[in-house]
Amino acid sequence: FRCDSGIITLQASANTGTINWYTTATGVTPIETGSNFTTPSISTTTTYYVETTTLSCASRRTAVEAKINITPTIINTNSVPNCGPGLFTLKATPSAGTINWYSQIGGTVVGTGTSFTTPIISTNTTYYAEATNNGCLSAKTPIDLIVYTPPAVTDQQVPICIPETAHLDASIPNMTYLWSTGQMSQTIDVPTTGIYTVEVFSPENCKSTKTITVFEYNKPRLFRILNRRKGFSKF
Protein backbone atom coordinates (compact mmCIF):
# COMPACT_ATOMS: atom_id res chain seq x y z
CA PHE A 1 0.00 0.00 0.00
CA ARG A 2 0.91 3.64 -0.10
CA CYS A 3 -0.35 6.81 1.50
CA ASP A 4 -2.23 9.11 -0.87
CA SER A 5 -1.99 9.30 -4.65
CA GLY A 6 0.98 7.87 -6.53
CA ILE A 7 2.45 4.76 -8.06
CA ILE A 8 2.68 1.35 -6.40
CA THR A 9 4.99 -1.51 -7.41
CA LEU A 10 3.28 -4.90 -7.27
CA GLN A 11 5.22 -8.17 -7.22
CA ALA A 12 4.39 -11.77 -8.06
CA SER A 13 6.41 -14.96 -8.46
CA ALA A 14 5.81 -18.25 -10.26
CA ASN A 15 7.63 -21.59 -10.46
CA THR A 16 7.31 -21.64 -14.24
CA GLY A 17 6.03 -19.68 -17.20
CA THR A 18 5.62 -15.97 -17.85
CA ILE A 19 3.88 -13.60 -15.47
CA ASN A 20 1.33 -11.31 -17.07
CA TRP A 21 -0.54 -8.36 -15.48
CA TYR A 22 -4.07 -7.23 -16.37
CA THR A 23 -6.61 -4.61 -15.39
CA THR A 24 -9.55 -7.06 -15.56
CA ALA A 25 -10.25 -10.62 -14.42
CA THR A 26 -10.76 -11.87 -17.99
CA GLY A 27 -9.84 -10.90 -21.52
CA VAL A 28 -7.76 -7.97 -22.80
CA THR A 29 -4.08 -7.78 -23.57
CA PRO A 30 -1.68 -7.81 -20.61
CA ILE A 31 -0.53 -4.38 -19.50
CA GLU A 32 2.79 -5.63 -18.19
CA THR A 33 4.91 -8.77 -18.24
CA GLY A 34 7.32 -9.84 -15.54
CA SER A 35 7.44 -10.38 -11.79
CA ASN A 36 7.18 -6.63 -11.04
CA PHE A 37 4.48 -4.24 -12.19
CA THR A 38 4.47 -0.53 -11.41
CA THR A 39 1.02 1.00 -11.61
CA PRO A 40 0.30 4.37 -13.12
CA SER A 41 -0.44 7.11 -10.57
CA ILE A 42 -3.64 6.14 -8.78
CA SER A 43 -5.66 8.01 -6.13
CA THR A 44 -7.93 5.21 -4.94
CA THR A 45 -7.46 1.53 -4.14
CA THR A 46 -7.34 -0.38 -7.44
CA THR A 47 -7.42 -4.11 -8.18
CA TYR A 48 -5.13 -5.61 -10.79
CA TYR A 49 -4.87 -9.25 -11.91
CA VAL A 50 -1.88 -11.51 -12.48
CA GLU A 51 -1.46 -14.88 -14.20
CA THR A 52 1.31 -17.17 -15.37
CA THR A 53 1.33 -18.63 -18.86
CA THR A 54 3.26 -21.37 -20.61
CA LEU A 55 3.14 -22.38 -24.25
CA SER A 56 0.13 -24.61 -23.63
CA CYS A 57 -1.92 -23.04 -20.80
CA ALA A 58 -2.45 -20.18 -18.38
CA SER A 59 -3.19 -20.13 -14.66
CA ARG A 60 -6.29 -18.61 -13.16
CA ARG A 61 -5.85 -14.91 -12.69
CA THR A 62 -5.20 -13.76 -9.12
CA ALA A 63 -6.44 -10.41 -7.86
CA VAL A 64 -3.77 -8.13 -6.46
CA GLU A 65 -4.87 -4.98 -4.68
CA ALA A 66 -2.96 -1.73 -5.03
CA LYS A 67 -4.20 -0.13 -1.84
CA ILE A 68 -4.32 3.62 -1.28
CA ASN A 69 -4.70 4.83 2.29
CA ILE A 70 -5.46 8.48 2.85
CA THR A 71 -3.16 10.39 5.18
CA PRO A 72 -5.46 11.78 7.87
CA THR A 73 -5.55 15.33 9.10
CA ILE A 74 -6.39 16.73 12.52
CA ILE A 75 -9.63 18.65 12.22
CA ASN A 76 -9.60 20.59 15.45
CA THR A 77 -7.11 21.25 18.22
CA ASN A 78 -7.04 24.18 20.61
CA SER A 79 -4.84 25.52 23.34
CA VAL A 80 -5.92 24.17 26.73
CA PRO A 81 -5.95 26.53 29.74
CA ASN A 82 -6.02 25.61 33.41
CA CYS A 83 -6.19 27.73 36.56
CA GLY A 84 -3.11 26.70 38.50
CA PRO A 85 -1.27 23.36 38.31
CA GLY A 86 -3.38 20.30 37.54
CA LEU A 87 -4.38 17.62 35.08
CA PHE A 88 -5.14 18.65 31.52
CA THR A 89 -7.55 16.76 29.26
CA LEU A 90 -6.48 17.17 25.64
CA LYS A 91 -8.81 16.50 22.71
CA ALA A 92 -8.28 16.21 18.97
CA THR A 93 -10.44 14.96 16.11
CA PRO A 94 -8.86 13.09 13.16
CA SER A 95 -10.36 13.09 9.68
CA ALA A 96 -9.86 9.31 9.79
CA GLY A 97 -8.28 6.80 12.16
CA THR A 98 -7.24 7.83 15.64
CA ILE A 99 -4.77 10.07 17.50
CA ASN A 100 -1.31 9.43 18.94
CA TRP A 101 -0.18 11.77 21.72
CA TYR A 102 3.39 12.88 22.43
CA SER A 103 4.88 14.94 25.26
CA GLN A 104 7.72 16.09 23.01
CA ILE A 105 8.12 16.42 19.27
CA GLY A 106 10.67 13.61 18.94
CA GLY A 107 9.45 11.45 21.81
CA THR A 108 7.52 8.22 22.06
CA VAL A 109 3.74 7.81 22.11
CA VAL A 110 2.36 8.56 25.58
CA GLY A 111 -1.30 7.92 24.77
CA THR A 112 -3.77 7.08 22.02
CA GLY A 113 -7.36 8.06 21.33
CA THR A 114 -9.23 11.27 20.63
CA SER A 115 -8.71 12.45 24.23
CA PHE A 116 -5.78 12.18 26.62
CA THR A 117 -5.30 13.24 30.25
CA THR A 118 -1.84 14.47 31.17
CA PRO A 119 -0.05 14.06 34.49
CA ILE A 120 -0.04 17.15 36.71
CA ILE A 121 1.30 20.12 34.76
CA SER A 122 2.55 23.16 36.70
CA THR A 123 4.10 25.32 33.97
CA ASN A 124 3.24 26.18 30.37
CA THR A 125 4.18 23.31 28.08
CA THR A 126 3.33 21.78 24.71
CA TYR A 127 2.01 18.36 23.77
CA TYR A 128 1.66 17.03 20.23
CA ALA A 129 -1.18 15.22 18.44
CA GLU A 130 -0.63 12.97 15.42
CA ALA A 131 -3.43 11.43 13.37
CA THR A 132 -2.82 7.84 12.24
CA ASN A 133 -4.84 5.84 9.71
CA ASN A 134 -3.78 2.39 8.50
CA GLY A 135 -0.09 3.25 8.68
CA CYS A 136 -0.43 6.77 7.29
CA LEU A 137 0.58 9.52 9.70
CA SER A 138 -0.19 13.22 9.72
CA ALA A 139 2.29 15.86 10.80
CA LYS A 140 2.45 16.35 14.56
CA THR A 141 0.26 19.26 15.64
CA PRO A 142 1.31 21.22 18.75
CA ILE A 143 -1.24 21.82 21.52
CA ASP A 144 -0.26 24.45 24.05
CA LEU A 145 -1.05 23.82 27.72
CA ILE A 146 -1.35 27.16 29.50
CA VAL A 147 -1.20 27.42 33.28
CA TYR A 148 -2.83 30.63 34.53
CA THR A 149 -2.18 31.92 38.03
CA PRO A 150 -5.36 32.47 40.10
CA PRO A 151 -5.62 35.78 42.01
CA ALA A 152 -3.54 35.70 45.21
CA VAL A 153 -5.97 36.55 48.01
CA THR A 154 -5.46 36.71 51.78
CA ASP A 155 -8.22 36.24 54.33
CA GLN A 156 -8.79 39.13 56.75
CA GLN A 157 -10.38 40.13 60.01
CA VAL A 158 -11.92 43.62 60.07
CA PRO A 159 -13.24 45.40 63.19
CA ILE A 160 -16.48 47.37 63.27
CA CYS A 161 -17.77 49.95 65.73
CA ILE A 162 -21.53 49.59 65.63
CA PRO A 163 -23.55 51.57 64.52
CA GLU A 164 -20.82 52.50 62.05
CA THR A 165 -20.01 50.42 58.95
CA ALA A 166 -16.97 48.32 58.10
CA HIS A 167 -15.16 48.89 54.81
CA LEU A 168 -14.28 45.62 53.04
CA ASP A 169 -11.79 45.45 50.18
CA ALA A 170 -10.99 42.52 47.86
CA SER A 171 -7.52 44.14 47.72
CA ILE A 172 -6.72 43.12 44.13
CA PRO A 173 -7.58 45.76 41.50
CA ASN A 174 -8.65 45.24 37.89
CA MET A 175 -10.46 41.98 38.52
CA THR A 176 -14.10 40.88 38.49
CA TYR A 177 -15.77 40.44 41.88
CA LEU A 178 -18.79 38.72 43.38
CA TRP A 179 -19.47 39.24 47.08
CA SER A 180 -21.61 36.99 49.22
CA THR A 181 -23.89 40.03 49.52
CA GLY A 182 -24.43 39.99 45.75
CA GLN A 183 -22.41 43.16 45.16
CA MET A 184 -19.85 43.24 42.35
CA SER A 185 -17.46 46.07 43.20
CA GLN A 186 -13.93 45.81 44.56
CA THR A 187 -14.99 47.34 47.89
CA ILE A 188 -18.21 47.28 49.89
CA ASP A 189 -19.42 48.68 53.22
CA VAL A 190 -21.29 46.41 55.65
CA PRO A 191 -23.24 47.45 58.76
CA THR A 192 -23.07 44.24 60.78
CA THR A 193 -20.63 41.64 62.02
CA GLY A 194 -20.36 38.32 60.25
CA ILE A 195 -18.37 36.34 57.73
CA TYR A 196 -18.27 37.77 54.20
CA THR A 197 -16.71 36.21 51.12
CA VAL A 198 -15.73 37.64 47.77
CA GLU A 199 -14.95 35.62 44.65
CA VAL A 200 -12.18 37.30 42.68
CA PHE A 201 -11.96 36.43 38.97
CA SER A 202 -8.86 37.13 36.91
CA PRO A 203 -9.08 38.21 33.23
CA GLU A 204 -8.52 34.54 32.34
CA ASN A 205 -11.56 33.66 34.53
CA CYS A 206 -9.50 32.00 37.24
CA LYS A 207 -11.24 32.32 40.60
CA SER A 208 -10.01 32.68 44.17
CA THR A 209 -12.22 33.19 47.21
CA LYS A 210 -11.34 35.62 49.99
CA THR A 211 -12.99 35.41 53.41
CA ILE A 212 -13.35 38.49 55.61
CA THR A 213 -14.53 38.14 59.19
CA VAL A 214 -16.11 41.32 60.58
CA PHE A 215 -16.04 41.50 64.37
CA GLU A 216 -17.19 44.14 66.87
CA TYR A 217 -14.73 46.09 68.97
CA ASN A 218 -15.22 45.81 72.72
CA LYS A 219 -17.30 48.81 73.67
CA PRO A 220 -15.33 51.29 75.77
CA ARG A 221 -16.53 52.14 79.28
CA LEU A 222 -16.54 55.67 80.60
CA PHE A 223 -16.19 56.32 84.34
CA ARG A 224 -17.21 59.64 85.95
CA ILE A 225 -15.63 60.79 89.20
CA LEU A 226 -18.23 62.31 91.54
CA ASN A 227 -17.29 65.07 93.89
CA ARG A 228 -18.72 63.48 97.03
CA ARG A 229 -17.41 61.41 99.82
CA LYS A 230 -18.47 58.01 98.61
CA GLY A 231 -16.31 57.11 95.71
CA PHE A 232 -17.57 57.34 92.17
CA SER A 233 -20.29 56.18 89.87
CA LYS A 234 -20.13 54.75 86.35
CA PHE A 235 -22.40 54.82 83.40
Side-chain angles (χ1 to χ4, degrees):
F1 78 94
R2 67 164 291 132
C3 298
D4 305 319
S5 300
I7 63 173
I8 296 178
T9 297
L10 306 179
Q11 294 181 326
S13 60
N15 58 3
T16 187
T18 301
I19 297 176
N20 296 321
W21 297 89
Y22 300 86
T23 57
T24 60
T26 59
V28 304
T29 303
I31 56 174
E32 187 66 78
T33 298
S35 58
N36 294 331
F37 164 56
T38 299
T39 72
S41 181
I42 56 177
S43 58
T44 60
T45 296
T46 304
T47 300
Y48 293 90
Y49 298 86
V50 62
E51 70 175 12
T52 59
T53 61
T54 62
L55 292 176
S56 57
C57 63
S59 68
R60 176 177 294 183
R61 292 182 187 178
T62 299
V64 180
E65 191 175 66
K67 189 172 182 61
I68 298 293
N69 292 330
I70 301 301
T71 298
T73 58
I74 298 177
I75 298 173
N76 65 307
T77 56
N78 297 296
S79 298
V80 183
N82 198 66
C83 292
L87 306 176
F88 285 72
T89 297
L90 312 183
K91 294 183 179 180
T93 301
S95 60
T98 189
I99 298 290
N100 291 330
W101 296 96
Y102 299 83
S103 60
Q104 50 186 322
I105 189 67
T108 58
V109 176
V110 295
T112 58
T114 55
S115 66
F116 169 70
T117 300
T118 70
I120 293 176
I121 301 295
S122 57
T123 58
N124 293 350
T125 188
T126 302
Y127 272 65
Y128 298 86
E130 171 190 75
T132 174
N133 177 45
N134 294 320
C136 298
L137 304 175
S138 73
K140 294 182 175 69
T141 298
I143 301 179
D144 293 326
L145 283 59
I146 303 173
V147 180
Y148 290 120
T149 301
V153 299
T154 302
D155 294 344
Q156 283 183 295
Q157 291 188 334
V158 175
I160 186 174
C161 291
I162 295 174
E164 298 178 1
T165 59
H167 186 70
L168 310 186
D169 191 342
S171 300
I172 305 178
N174 303 318
M175 300 285 173
T176 302
Y177 315 94
L178 179 61
W179 291 86
S180 53
T181 61
Q183 293 162 278
M184 301 178 69
S185 55
Q186 180 181 329
T187 63
I188 64 171
D189 294 314
V190 297
T192 60
T193 61
I195 296 176
Y196 298 85
T197 60
V198 57
E199 294 177 343
V200 183
F201 297 86
S202 70
E204 298 82 20
N205 206 36
C206 292
K207 180 184 75 172
S208 296
T209 301
K210 177 175 181 174
T211 299
I212 302 177
T213 302
V214 177
F215 66 94
E216 185 178 5
Y217 268 131
N218 290 329
K219 291 183 178 180
R221 289 181 173 183
L222 178 62
F223 293 88
R224 182 174 61 185
I225 304 298
L226 299 180
N227 187 17
R228 55 188 183 185
R229 285 186 178 179
K230 293 186 178 179
F232 60 87
S233 66
K234 64 181 179 180
F235 60 95

